[in-house]
Amino acid sequence: MTPTGPLTIAIDGPSGSGKSSVSRAVATELRLRYLDTGAMFRALTWWCVQQGVDLHDQDQVAQAALDVPLSMGTDPQDPHVRVAESSVDQAIRTPDISAVVSAVATNPRVRTHLADEQRRIIAESRHSSGGIVVEGRDITTVIAPDAEHRILLSASEDARLQRRSAELADRGQIQDSQDVRDQVVRRDRDDSTVSAFFTPAEGVHGIDTSSLTFAESVAAVLDVVRQPSAAHTVATDHTSHPPTSTPGA
């Protein structure tokens, strides 16, 4: 299914709601670019740790956000993250980074700088590739409030914890339930001090994925995009790409 004109799909949600894997599948299906804004904060956190930056020194972290040699790949089938030309896709997903990323993600100056970069990527993708699916915490309200489609994915706490445990297990990172809860619940609580991602804002379409399979979650988002009343109609002239992964964050 191919959008007829530049298209931005903004997707927000808490940890474990499925926003990352669902967004990638939607971008693949619609042949759009894909941006995981959370990975940008994780990559900056990793860089700060590598450089010995005190994550609680907001000035130092804000300067690091200006200096970090970060490159975001927007191919939904290969959304790589590179710092100084080195791949950090695995390094930024470790429990150690998950435990401290909120200190960076709640820094107002960092958020302002990365927001500018995210908007630049959106504009570039709309111009060169027909559009983009962008996911994170405040995409629907701050980064792209004028997106053609704004969606907030939610899920029950139990569902989100189960998904995060499964995601970590798939990576070989076995953690006890309390550590998983800290990554999900505590981080969401910290991040909610600077962005709202539990309740859809006015004009944002809410989808509860608690009881949905991955394929059903993807279909629910595509249904929103393909609604006849949508600002951009969607053609049906090529073979679709079936989802192959499971919900994550």
Side-chain angles (χ1 to χ4, degrees):
M1 309 294 176
T2 305
T4 60
L7 180 68
T8 299
I9 301 174
I11 298 181
D12 284 333
S15 302
S17 59
K19 63 183 182 297
S20 294
S21 53
V22 169
S23 294
R24 285 182 62 183
V26 169
T28 298
E29 172 72 18
L30 298 178
R31 296 184 177 178
L32 302 175
R33 309 310 288 176
Y34 162 74
L35 179 63
D36 176 358
T37 63
M40 299 175 75
F41 289 102
R42 285 176 171 272
L44 175 57
T45 303
W46 179 86
W47 171 254
C48 287
V49 171
Q50 296 300 306
Q51 300 298 308
V53 174
D54 180 356
L55 298 183
H56 297 288
D57 186 324
Q58 293 203 341
D59 291 337
Q60 284 192 37
V61 175
Q63 184 60 50
L66 296 174
D67 297 338
V68 60
L70 174 63
S71 174
M72 299 295 299
T74 57
D75 180 348
Q77 299 188 64
D78 181 29
H80 59 266
V81 184
R82 294 195 176 104
V83 176
E85 301 304 319
S86 296
S87 173
V88 296
D89 296 279
Q90 300 302 317
I92 66 174
R93 302 294 178 181
T94 64
D96 287 345
I97 296 300
S98 296
V100 296
V101 65
S102 285
V104 172
T106 56
N107 184 317
R109 289 166 60 192
V110 167
R111 296 188 71 82
T112 296
H113 174 68
L114 291 188
D116 289 342
E117 178 62 12
Q118 290 156 16
R119 293 188 187 106
R120 183 195 66 77
I121 294 173
I122 292 171
E124 182 180 272
S125 298
R126 288 176 66 90
H127 175 73
S128 64
S129 303
I132 189 168
V133 180
V134 190
E135 54 100 348
R137 303 279 190 170
D138 56 3
I139 311 305
T140 63
T141 55
V142 176
I143 305 302
D146 57 348
E148 282 76 13
H149 300 285
R150 296 186 297 151
I151 299 166
L152 187 142
L153 300 184
S154 62
S156 68
E157 184 175 298
D158 285 345
R160 294 188 294 118
L161 291 173
Q162 290 174 10
R163 290 171 182 172
R164 179 49 56 88
S165 294
E167 178 186 356
L168 291 169
D170 286 344
R171 295 178 187 152
Q173 301 172 3
I174 307 301
Q175 293 188 280
D176 63 37
S177 58
Q178 188 55 46
D179 287 338
V180 174
R181 176 175 290 276
D182 178 74
Q183 285 190 35
V184 174
V185 178
R186 190 269 311 158
R187 184 187 167 198
D188 283 345
R189 182 184 65 243
D190 291 348
D191 288 0
S192 67
T193 62
V194 293
S195 61
F197 48 84
F198 284 106
T199 303
E202 183 178 357
V204 176
H205 192 104
I207 299 175
D208 187 336
T209 68
S210 301
S211 61
L212 301 181
T213 65
F214 172 68
E216 289 170 340
S217 298
V218 173
V221 172
L222 289 172
D223 283 346
V224 172
V225 175
R226 293 168 176 158
Q227 287 175 0
S229 59
H232 288 248
T233 58
V234 179
T236 59
D237 58 355
H238 73 77
T239 303
S240 64
H241 304 273
T244 58
S245 59
T246 55

